[in-house]
PDB file of all heavy atoms in Angstrom:
ATOM      1  N   VAL A 166    -193.718-237.093  73.689  1.00 95.00           N
ATOM      2  CA  VAL A 166    -193.700-238.208  72.735  1.00 95.00           C
ATOM      3  C   VAL A 166    -195.065-238.843  72.645  1.00 95.00           C
ATOM      4  O   VAL A 166    -195.664-239.188  73.654  1.00 95.00           O
ATOM      5  CB  VAL A 166    -192.644-239.257  73.168  1.00 95.00           C
ATOM      6  CG1 VAL A 166    -192.674-240.439  72.234  1.00 95.00           C
ATOM      7  CG2 VAL A 166    -191.280-238.645  73.186  1.00 95.00           C
ATOM      8  N   PHE A 167    -195.590-238.958  71.425  1.00 95.00           N
ATOM      9  CA  PHE A 167    -196.927-239.492  71.203  1.00 95.00           C
ATOM     10  C   PHE A 167    -196.804-240.710  70.273  1.00 95.00           C
ATOM     11  O   PHE A 167    -196.426-240.564  69.100  1.00 95.00           O
ATOM     12  CB  PHE A 167    -197.803-238.416  70.518  1.00 95.00           C
ATOM     13  CG  PHE A 167    -199.252-238.683  70.510  1.00 95.00           C
ATOM     14  CD1 PHE A 167    -200.137-237.856  71.170  1.00 95.00           C
ATOM     15  CD2 PHE A 167    -199.780-239.784  69.824  1.00 95.00           C
ATOM     16  CE1 PHE A 167    -201.503-238.074  71.178  1.00 95.00           C
ATOM     17  CE2 PHE A 167    -201.151-240.008  69.800  1.00 95.00           C
ATOM     18  CZ  PHE A 167    -202.020-239.172  70.478  1.00 95.00           C
ATOM     19  N   VAL A 168    -197.047-241.898  70.796  1.00 95.00           N
ATOM     20  CA  VAL A 168    -196.877-243.123  70.000  1.00 95.00           C
ATOM     21  C   VAL A 168    -198.008-243.175  68.973  1.00 95.00           C
ATOM     22  O   VAL A 168    -199.168-243.051  69.287  1.00 95.00           O
ATOM     23  CB  VAL A 168    -196.931-244.351  70.918  1.00 95.00           C
ATOM     24  CG1 VAL A 168    -196.654-245.640  70.111  1.00 95.00           C
ATOM     25  CG2 VAL A 168    -195.945-244.265  72.029  1.00 95.00           C
ATOM     26  N   ILE A 169    -197.623-243.386  67.679  1.00 93.00           N
ATOM     27  CA  ILE A 169    -198.657-243.380  66.626  1.00 93.00           C
ATOM     28  C   ILE A 169    -198.725-244.704  65.867  1.00 93.00           C
ATOM     29  O   ILE A 169    -199.536-244.829  64.958  1.00 93.00           O
ATOM     30  CB  ILE A 169    -198.443-242.226  65.643  1.00 93.00           C
ATOM     31  CG1 ILE A 169    -197.055-242.299  65.016  1.00 93.00           C
ATOM     32  CG2 ILE A 169    -198.720-240.890  66.270  1.00 93.00           C
ATOM     33  CD1 ILE A 169    -196.856-241.319  63.866  1.00 93.00           C
ATOM     34  N   GLY A 170    -197.929-245.704  66.253  1.00 92.00           N
ATOM     35  CA  GLY A 170    -198.023-246.972  65.560  1.00 92.00           C
ATOM     36  C   GLY A 170    -197.150-248.054  66.132  1.00 92.00           C
ATOM     37  O   GLY A 170    -196.204-247.774  66.867  1.00 92.00           O
ATOM     38  N   ASN A 171    -197.517-249.315  65.812  1.00 91.00           N
ATOM     39  CA  ASN A 171    -196.686-250.444  66.233  1.00 91.00           C
ATOM     40  C   ASN A 171    -195.505-250.622  65.296  1.00 91.00           C
ATOM     41  O   ASN A 171    -195.625-250.431  64.097  1.00 91.00           O
ATOM     42  CB  ASN A 171    -197.530-251.740  66.239  1.00 91.00           C
ATOM     43  CG  ASN A 171    -198.360-251.853  67.486  1.00 91.00           C
ATOM     44  OD1 ASN A 171    -197.908-251.455  68.555  1.00 91.00           O
ATOM     45  ND2 ASN A 171    -199.546-252.422  67.365  1.00 91.00           N
ATOM     46  N   SER A 172    -194.355-251.013  65.871  1.00 85.00           N
ATOM     47  CA  SER A 172    -193.091-251.117  65.161  1.00 85.00           C
ATOM     48  C   SER A 172    -192.915-249.882  64.286  1.00 85.00           C
ATOM     49  O   SER A 172    -192.948-248.757  64.754  1.00 85.00           O
ATOM     50  CB  SER A 172    -192.960-252.412  64.384  1.00 85.00           C
ATOM     51  OG  SER A 172    -193.983-252.521  63.407  1.00 85.00           O
ATOM     52  N   ASN A 173    -192.776-250.029  62.934  1.00 85.00           N
ATOM     53  CA  ASN A 173    -192.546-248.811  62.141  1.00 85.00           C
ATOM     54  C   ASN A 173    -193.731-248.465  61.259  1.00 85.00           C
ATOM     55  O   ASN A 173    -193.594-247.766  60.258  1.00 85.00           O
ATOM     56  CB  ASN A 173    -191.288-248.958  61.270  1.00 85.00           C
ATOM     57  CG  ASN A 173    -191.393-250.157  60.327  1.00 85.00           C
ATOM     58  OD1 ASN A 173    -192.382-250.878  60.391  1.00 85.00           O
ATOM     59  ND2 ASN A 173    -190.422-250.302  59.475  1.00 85.00           N
ATOM     60  N   LYS A 174    -194.931-248.971  61.602  1.00 90.00           N
ATOM     61  CA  LYS A 174    -196.141-248.688  60.799  1.00 90.00           C
ATOM     62  C   LYS A 174    -197.067-247.732  61.541  1.00 90.00           C
ATOM     63  O   LYS A 174    -197.761-248.154  62.509  1.00 90.00           O
ATOM     64  CB  LYS A 174    -196.851-249.985  60.469  1.00 90.00           C
ATOM     65  CG  LYS A 174    -196.076-250.904  59.582  1.00 90.00           C
ATOM     66  CD  LYS A 174    -196.944-252.020  58.995  1.00 90.00           C
ATOM     67  CE  LYS A 174    -196.216-252.849  57.950  1.00 90.00           C
ATOM     68  NZ  LYS A 174    -194.942-253.381  58.481  1.00 90.00           N
ATOM     69  N   PRO A 175    -197.122-246.460  61.126  1.00 91.00           N
ATOM     70  CA  PRO A 175    -198.057-245.543  61.795  1.00 91.00           C
ATOM     71  C   PRO A 175    -199.525-245.893  61.487  1.00 91.00           C
ATOM     72  O   PRO A 175    -199.800-246.346  60.370  1.00 91.00           O
ATOM     73  CB  PRO A 175    -197.703-244.175  61.175  1.00 91.00           C
ATOM     74  CG  PRO A 175    -196.453-244.384  60.406  1.00 91.00           C
ATOM     75  CD  PRO A 175    -196.334-245.811  60.091  1.00 91.00           C
ATOM     76  N   TRP A 176    -200.373-245.727  62.466  1.00 93.00           N
ATOM     77  CA  TRP A 176    -201.807-246.006  62.277  1.00 93.00           C
ATOM     78  C   TRP A 176    -202.538-244.857  61.616  1.00 93.00           C
ATOM     79  O   TRP A 176    -203.645-245.014  61.188  1.00 93.00           O
ATOM     80  CB  TRP A 176    -202.469-246.334  63.617  1.00 93.00           C
ATOM     81  CG  TRP A 176    -202.071-247.683  64.141  1.00 93.00           C
ATOM     82  CD1 TRP A 176    -201.111-248.497  63.625  1.00 93.00           C
ATOM     83  CD2 TRP A 176    -202.593-248.354  65.289  1.00 93.00           C
ATOM     84  NE1 TRP A 176    -201.029-249.646  64.375  1.00 93.00           N
ATOM     85  CE2 TRP A 176    -201.903-249.582  65.415  1.00 93.00           C
ATOM     86  CE3 TRP A 176    -203.567-248.040  66.235  1.00 93.00           C
ATOM     87  CZ2 TRP A 176    -202.189-250.496  66.438  1.00 93.00           C
ATOM     88  CZ3 TRP A 176    -203.834-248.941  67.261  1.00 93.00           C
ATOM     89  CH2 TRP A 176    -203.164-250.169  67.363  1.00 93.00           C
ATOM     90  N   VAL A 177    -201.916-243.670  61.648  1.00 92.00           N
ATOM     91  CA  VAL A 177    -202.531-242.513  60.961  1.00 92.00           C
ATOM     92  C   VAL A 177    -201.597-242.111  59.817  1.00 92.00           C
ATOM     93  O   VAL A 177    -200.399-242.307  59.889  1.00 92.00           O
ATOM     94  CB  VAL A 177    -202.712-241.310  61.928  1.00 92.00           C
ATOM     95  CG1 VAL A 177    -203.752-241.607  62.976  1.00 92.00           C
ATOM     96  CG2 VAL A 177    -201.399-240.914  62.581  1.00 92.00           C
ATOM     97  N   SER A 178    -202.196-241.594  58.724  1.00 92.00           N
ATOM     98  CA  SER A 178    -201.360-241.171  57.621  1.00 92.00           C
ATOM     99  C   SER A 178    -200.610-239.906  58.005  1.00 92.00           C
ATOM    100  O   SER A 178    -201.088-239.079  58.779  1.00 92.00           O
ATOM    101  CB  SER A 178    -202.208-240.920  56.397  1.00 92.00           C
ATOM    102  OG  SER A 178    -203.189-239.933  56.665  1.00 92.00           O
ATOM    103  N   LEU A 179    -199.377-239.741  57.479  1.00 92.00           N
ATOM    104  CA  LEU A 179    -198.538-238.608  57.821  1.00 92.00           C
ATOM    105  C   LEU A 179    -198.536-237.577  56.736  1.00 92.00           C
ATOM    106  O   LEU A 179    -198.785-237.933  55.550  1.00 92.00           O
ATOM    107  CB  LEU A 179    -197.113-239.091  58.080  1.00 92.00           C
ATOM    108  CG  LEU A 179    -196.951-240.085  59.278  1.00 92.00           C
ATOM    109  CD1 LEU A 179    -195.529-240.621  59.304  1.00 92.00           C
ATOM    110  CD2 LEU A 179    -197.304-239.408  60.581  1.00 92.00           C
ATOM    111  N   PRO A 180    -198.274-236.291  57.063  1.00 90.00           N
ATOM    112  CA  PRO A 180    -198.211-235.280  55.986  1.00 90.00           C
ATOM    113  C   PRO A 180    -197.022-235.528  55.054  1.00 90.00           C
ATOM    114  O   PRO A 180    -196.229-236.421  55.280  1.00 90.00           O
ATOM    115  CB  PRO A 180    -198.056-233.966  56.742  1.00 90.00           C
ATOM    116  CG  PRO A 180    -197.709-234.314  58.124  1.00 90.00           C
ATOM    117  CD  PRO A 180    -198.104-235.720  58.374  1.00 90.00           C
ATOM    118  N   LYS A 181    -196.889-234.687  54.041  1.00 88.00           N
ATOM    119  CA  LYS A 181    -196.002-235.028  52.903  1.00 88.00           C
ATOM    120  C   LYS A 181    -194.540-235.235  53.260  1.00 88.00           C
ATOM    121  O   LYS A 181    -193.883-236.034  52.646  1.00 88.00           O
ATOM    122  CB  LYS A 181    -196.124-233.968  51.796  1.00 88.00           C
ATOM    123  CG  LYS A 181    -195.657-232.578  52.153  1.00 88.00           C
ATOM    124  CD  LYS A 181    -195.665-231.680  50.923  1.00 88.00           C
ATOM    125  CE  LYS A 181    -194.985-230.364  51.170  1.00 88.00           C
ATOM    126  NZ  LYS A 181    -195.742-229.446  52.014  1.00 88.00           N
ATOM    127  N   ASP A 182    -193.987-234.561  54.293  1.00 87.00           N
ATOM    128  CA  ASP A 182    -192.568-234.765  54.605  1.00 87.00           C
ATOM    129  C   ASP A 182    -192.354-235.992  55.499  1.00 87.00           C
ATOM    130  O   ASP A 182    -191.236-236.303  55.834  1.00 87.00           O
ATOM    131  CB  ASP A 182    -191.972-233.510  55.243  1.00 87.00           C
ATOM    132  CG  ASP A 182    -192.916-232.880  56.261  1.00 87.00           C
ATOM    133  OD1 ASP A 182    -193.711-233.638  56.840  1.00 87.00           O
ATOM    134  OD2 ASP A 182    -192.898-231.642  56.436  1.00 87.00           O
ATOM    135  N   LYS A 183    -193.433-236.672  55.870  1.00 88.00           N
ATOM    136  CA  LYS A 183    -193.389-237.921  56.657  1.00 88.00           C
ATOM    137  C   LYS A 183    -192.632-237.772  57.970  1.00 88.00           C
ATOM    138  O   LYS A 183    -192.029-238.741  58.473  1.00 88.00           O
ATOM    139  CB  LYS A 183    -192.739-239.059  55.814  1.00 88.00           C
ATOM    140  CG  LYS A 183    -193.499-239.383  54.541  1.00 88.00           C
ATOM    141  CD  LYS A 183    -194.746-240.169  54.828  1.00 88.00           C
ATOM    142  CE  LYS A 183    -195.513-240.529  53.601  1.00 88.00           C
ATOM    143  NZ  LYS A 183    -196.810-239.906  53.458  1.00 88.00           N
ATOM    144  N   GLY A 184    -192.575-236.546  58.489  1.00 86.00           N
ATOM    145  CA  GLY A 184    -191.944-236.349  59.774  1.00 86.00           C
ATOM    146  C   GLY A 184    -190.428-236.402  59.772  1.00 86.00           C
ATOM    147  O   GLY A 184    -189.794-236.608  60.821  1.00 86.00           O
ATOM    148  N   VAL A 185    -189.820-236.277  58.584  1.00 90.00           N
ATOM    149  CA  VAL A 185    -188.356-236.270  58.491  1.00 90.00           C
ATOM    150  C   VAL A 185    -187.878-234.853  58.325  1.00 90.00           C
ATOM    151  O   VAL A 185    -188.217-234.197  57.307  1.00 90.00           O
ATOM    152  CB  VAL A 185    -187.867-237.140  57.316  1.00 90.00           C
ATOM    153  CG1 VAL A 185    -186.352-237.084  57.215  1.00 90.00           C
ATOM    154  CG2 VAL A 185    -188.338-238.580  57.498  1.00 90.00           C
ATOM    155  N   LYS A 186    -187.107-234.367  59.290  1.00 92.00           N
ATOM    156  CA  LYS A 186    -186.677-232.975  59.235  1.00 92.00           C
ATOM    157  C   LYS A 186    -185.382-232.862  58.421  1.00 92.00           C
ATOM    158  O   LYS A 186    -184.436-233.628  58.635  1.00 92.00           O
ATOM    159  CB  LYS A 186    -186.448-232.441  60.653  1.00 92.00           C
ATOM    160  CG  LYS A 186    -186.249-230.948  60.720  1.00 92.00           C
ATOM    161  CD  LYS A 186    -186.252-230.480  62.154  1.00 92.00           C
ATOM    162  CE  LYS A 186    -186.353-228.975  62.209  1.00 92.00           C
ATOM    163  NZ  LYS A 186    -186.510-228.501  63.594  1.00 92.00           N
ATOM    164  N   LEU A 187    -185.360-231.945  57.490  1.00 90.00           N
ATOM    165  CA  LEU A 187    -184.132-231.720  56.672  1.00 90.00           C
ATOM    166  C   LEU A 187    -183.281-230.656  57.309  1.00 90.00           C
ATOM    167  O   LEU A 187    -183.774-229.775  58.015  1.00 90.00           O
ATOM    168  CB  LEU A 187    -184.546-231.287  55.272  1.00 90.00           C
ATOM    169  CG  LEU A 187    -185.438-232.227  54.464  1.00 90.00           C
ATOM    170  CD1 LEU A 187    -185.844-231.599  53.138  1.00 90.00           C
ATOM    171  CD2 LEU A 187    -184.782-233.566  54.246  1.00 90.00           C
ATOM    172  N   THR A 188    -181.971-230.747  57.060  1.00 90.00           N
ATOM    173  CA  THR A 188    -181.093-229.667  57.509  1.00 90.00           C
ATOM    174  C   THR A 188    -181.310-228.459  56.616  1.00 90.00           C
ATOM    175  O   THR A 188    -181.922-228.554  55.532  1.00 90.00           O
ATOM    176  CB  THR A 188    -179.617-230.073  57.434  1.00 90.00           C
ATOM    177  OG1 THR A 188    -179.316-230.409  56.071  1.00 90.00           O
ATOM    178  CG2 THR A 188    -179.354-231.314  58.302  1.00 90.00           C
ATOM    179  N   ILE A 189    -180.789-227.305  56.997  1.00 92.00           N
ATOM    180  CA  ILE A 189    -180.950-226.087  56.215  1.00 92.00           C
ATOM    181  C   ILE A 189    -180.366-226.261  54.835  1.00 92.00           C
ATOM    182  O   ILE A 189    -180.940-225.842  53.818  1.00 92.00           O
ATOM    183  CB  ILE A 189    -180.297-224.876  56.939  1.00 92.00           C
ATOM    184  CG1 ILE A 189    -180.946-224.681  58.295  1.00 92.00           C
ATOM    185  CG2 ILE A 189    -180.424-223.610  56.129  1.00 92.00           C
ATOM    186  CD1 ILE A 189    -180.250-223.656  59.182  1.00 92.00           C
ATOM    187  N   ALA A 190    -179.194-226.947  54.765  1.00 94.00           N
ATOM    188  CA  ALA A 190    -178.542-227.148  53.471  1.00 94.00           C
ATOM    189  C   ALA A 190    -179.385-228.055  52.564  1.00 94.00           C
ATOM    190  O   ALA A 190    -179.529-227.783  51.371  1.00 94.00           O
ATOM    191  CB  ALA A 190    -177.169-227.760  53.673  1.00 94.00           C
ATOM    192  N   GLU A 191    -179.996-229.085  53.152  1.00 92.00           N
ATOM    193  CA  GLU A 191    -180.828-229.975  52.365  1.00 92.00           C
ATOM    194  C   GLU A 191    -182.093-229.270  51.863  1.00 92.00           C
ATOM    195  O   GLU A 191    -182.524-229.461  50.730  1.00 92.00           O
ATOM    196  CB  GLU A 191    -181.244-231.195  53.209  1.00 92.00           C
ATOM    197  CG  GLU A 191    -180.110-232.185  53.410  1.00 92.00           C
ATOM    198  CD  GLU A 191    -180.453-233.264  54.447  1.00 92.00           C
ATOM    199  OE1 GLU A 191    -181.361-233.038  55.286  1.00 92.00           O
ATOM    200  OE2 GLU A 191    -179.854-234.337  54.373  1.00 92.00           O
ATOM    201  N   GLU A 192    -182.635-228.419  52.725  1.00 91.00           N
ATOM    202  CA  GLU A 192    -183.805-227.636  52.294  1.00 91.00           C
ATOM    203  C   GLU A 192    -183.442-226.737  51.128  1.00 91.00           C
ATOM    204  O   GLU A 192    -184.214-226.624  50.177  1.00 91.00           O
ATOM    205  CB  GLU A 192    -184.325-226.762  53.475  1.00 91.00           C
ATOM    206  CG  GLU A 192    -185.228-227.503  54.422  1.00 91.00           C
ATOM    207  CD  GLU A 192    -185.759-226.594  55.507  1.00 91.00           C
ATOM    208  OE1 GLU A 192    -185.576-225.367  55.440  1.00 91.00           O
ATOM    209  OE2 GLU A 192    -186.384-227.125  56.436  1.00 91.00           O
ATOM    210  N   ARG A 193    -182.261-226.101  51.210  1.00 94.00           N
ATOM    211  CA  ARG A 193    -181.824-225.208  50.139  1.00 94.00           C
ATOM    212  C   ARG A 193    -181.651-225.989  48.833  1.00 94.00           C
ATOM    213  O   ARG A 193    -182.110-225.555  47.774  1.00 94.00           O
ATOM    214  CB  ARG A 193    -180.495-224.570  50.551  1.00 94.00           C
ATOM    215  CG  ARG A 193    -179.883-223.681  49.506  1.00 94.00           C
ATOM    216  CD  ARG A 193    -178.419-223.497  49.741  1.00 94.00           C
ATOM    217  NE  ARG A 193    -177.728-224.788  49.666  1.00 94.00           N
ATOM    218  CZ  ARG A 193    -176.499-225.019  50.168  1.00 94.00           C
ATOM    219  NH1 ARG A 193    -175.879-224.073  50.795  1.00 94.00           N
ATOM    220  NH2 ARG A 193    -175.951-226.203  50.037  1.00 94.00           N
ATOM    221  N   ASP A 194    -181.017-227.176  48.903  1.00 94.00           N
ATOM    222  CA  ASP A 194    -180.802-227.968  47.709  1.00 94.00           C
ATOM    223  C   ASP A 194    -182.133-228.391  47.081  1.00 94.00           C
ATOM    224  O   ASP A 194    -182.307-228.367  45.852  1.00 94.00           O
ATOM    225  CB  ASP A 194    -179.970-229.219  48.009  1.00 94.00           C
ATOM    226  CG  ASP A 194    -178.566-228.836  48.466  1.00 94.00           C
ATOM    227  OD1 ASP A 194    -178.181-227.658  48.213  1.00 94.00           O
ATOM    228  OD2 ASP A 194    -177.903-229.669  49.107  1.00 94.00           O
ATOM    229  N   ALA A 195    -183.107-228.768  47.968  1.00 92.00           N
ATOM    230  CA  ALA A 195    -184.433-229.171  47.447  1.00 92.00           C
ATOM    231  C   ALA A 195    -185.125-228.018  46.751  1.00 92.00           C
ATOM    232  O   ALA A 195    -185.742-228.184  45.688  1.00 92.00           O
ATOM    233  CB  ALA A 195    -185.275-229.704  48.584  1.00 92.00           C
ATOM    234  N   ARG A 196    -184.979-226.812  47.315  1.00 93.00           N
ATOM    235  CA  ARG A 196    -185.578-225.616  46.709  1.00 93.00           C
ATOM    236  C   ARG A 196    -184.967-225.366  45.322  1.00 93.00           C
ATOM    237  O   ARG A 196    -185.675-225.037  44.391  1.00 93.00           O
ATOM    238  CB  ARG A 196    -185.379-224.405  47.612  1.00 93.00           C
ATOM    239  CG  ARG A 196    -186.506-224.146  48.597  1.00 93.00           C
ATOM    240  CD  ARG A 196    -186.509-222.716  49.078  1.00 93.00           C
ATOM    241  NE  ARG A 196    -185.243-222.276  49.583  1.00 93.00           N
ATOM    242  CZ  ARG A 196    -184.803-222.463  50.840  1.00 93.00           C
ATOM    243  NH1 ARG A 196    -185.548-223.053  51.720  1.00 93.00           N
ATOM    244  NH2 ARG A 196    -183.621-222.023  51.221  1.00 93.00           N
ATOM    245  N   ARG A 197    -183.636-225.487  45.276  1.00 94.00           N
ATOM    246  CA  ARG A 197    -182.946-225.199  44.012  1.00 94.00           C
ATOM    247  C   ARG A 197    -183.355-226.209  42.929  1.00 94.00           C
ATOM    248  O   ARG A 197    -183.538-225.856  41.752  1.00 94.00           O
ATOM    249  CB  ARG A 197    -181.424-225.233  44.204  1.00 94.00           C
ATOM    250  CG  ARG A 197    -180.912-223.979  44.909  1.00 94.00           C
ATOM    251  CD  ARG A 197    -179.447-224.030  45.122  1.00 94.00           C
ATOM    252  NE  ARG A 197    -178.976-222.808  45.770  1.00 94.00           N
ATOM    253  CZ  ARG A 197    -177.757-222.661  46.293  1.00 94.00           C
ATOM    254  NH1 ARG A 197    -176.875-223.660  46.197  1.00 94.00           N
ATOM    255  NH2 ARG A 197    -177.389-221.555  46.835  1.00 94.00           N
ATOM    256  N   GLU A 198    -183.451-227.493  43.314  1.00 93.00           N
ATOM    257  CA  GLU A 198    -183.873-228.512  42.366  1.00 93.00           C
ATOM    258  C   GLU A 198    -185.286-228.213  41.825  1.00 93.00           C
ATOM    259  O   GLU A 198    -185.542-228.302  40.615  1.00 93.00           O
ATOM    260  CB  GLU A 198    -183.900-229.903  43.065  1.00 93.00           C
ATOM    261  CG  GLU A 198    -182.568-230.585  43.048  1.00 93.00           C
ATOM    262  CD  GLU A 198    -182.619-231.915  43.807  1.00 93.00           C
ATOM    263  OE1 GLU A 198    -183.671-232.561  43.744  1.00 93.00           O
ATOM    264  OE2 GLU A 198    -181.622-232.255  44.469  1.00 93.00           O
ATOM    265  N   LYS A 199    -186.152-227.811  42.758  1.00 92.00           N
ATOM    266  CA  LYS A 199    -187.529-227.528  42.380  1.00 92.00           C
ATOM    267  C   LYS A 199    -187.565-226.331  41.388  1.00 92.00           C
ATOM    268  O   LYS A 199    -188.289-226.361  40.380  1.00 92.00           O
ATOM    269  CB  LYS A 199    -188.339-227.158  43.629  1.00 92.00           C
ATOM    270  CG  LYS A 199    -189.826-227.419  43.505  1.00 92.00           C
ATOM    271  CD  LYS A 199    -190.459-227.253  44.855  1.00 92.00           C
ATOM    272  CE  LYS A 199    -191.982-227.339  44.763  1.00 92.00           C
ATOM    273  NZ  LYS A 199    -192.598-227.070  46.061  1.00 92.00           N
ATOM    274  N   ALA A 200    -186.753-225.298  41.704  1.00 93.00           N
ATOM    275  CA  ALA A 200    -186.699-224.109  40.836  1.00 93.00           C
ATOM    276  C   ALA A 200    -186.155-224.492  39.438  1.00 93.00           C
ATOM    277  O   ALA A 200    -186.649-223.998  38.407  1.00 93.00           O
ATOM    278  CB  ALA A 200    -185.865-223.035  41.466  1.00 93.00           C
ATOM    279  N   ALA A 201    -185.136-225.368  39.456  1.00 93.00           N
ATOM    280  CA  ALA A 201    -184.534-225.762  38.180  1.00 93.00           C
ATOM    281  C   ALA A 201    -185.543-226.546  37.330  1.00 93.00           C
ATOM    282  O   ALA A 201    -185.648-226.374  36.123  1.00 93.00           O
ATOM    283  CB  ALA A 201    -183.303-226.633  38.448  1.00 93.00           C
ATOM    284  N   GLU A 202    -186.316-227.433  38.015  1.00 91.00           N
ATOM    285  CA  GLU A 202    -187.338-228.213  37.289  1.00 91.00           C
ATOM    286  C   GLU A 202    -188.402-227.313  36.713  1.00 91.00           C
ATOM    287  O   GLU A 202    -188.893-227.480  35.610  1.00 91.00           O
ATOM    288  CB  GLU A 202    -188.004-229.229  38.226  1.00 91.00           C
ATOM    289  CG  GLU A 202    -187.147-230.453  38.502  1.00 91.00           C
ATOM    290  CD  GLU A 202    -187.728-231.319  39.599  1.00 91.00           C
ATOM    291  OE1 GLU A 202    -188.925-231.151  39.912  1.00 91.00           O
ATOM    292  OE2 GLU A 202    -186.981-232.164  40.123  1.00 91.00           O
ATOM    293  N   ALA A 203    -188.787-226.289  37.500  1.00 90.00           N
ATOM    294  CA  ALA A 203    -189.858-225.365  37.065  1.00 90.00           C
ATOM    295  C   ALA A 203    -189.421-224.564  35.852  1.00 90.00           C
ATOM    296  O   ALA A 203    -190.211-224.280  34.935  1.00 90.00           O
ATOM    297  CB  ALA A 203    -190.251-224.452  38.208  1.00 90.00           C
TER     298      ALA A 203
END
């Protein structure tokens, strides 16, 4: 565990998914939405 900020404000910017892991089903739905938009 590496502390990166006080309370809920990180001191360093986070990559695009902001450190939130999606389940396999959520990843699949996001992929399908993206494909449909494209």
Side-chain angles (χ1 to χ4, degrees):
V166 177
F167 194 117
V168 185
I169 56 171
N171 277 326
S172 62
N173 60 354
K174 292 194 173 55
W176 288 7
V177 292
S178 58
L179 298 173
K181 65 172 190 288
D182 41 30
K183 299 285 182 246
V185 177
K186 191 170 192 175
L187 302 175
T188 60
I189 300 172
E191 286 170 337
E192 277 183 9
R193 178 201 60 199
D194 296 342
R196 268 201 309 274
R197 285 179 179 169
E198 275 177 34
K199 205 171 174 184
E202 284 171 17

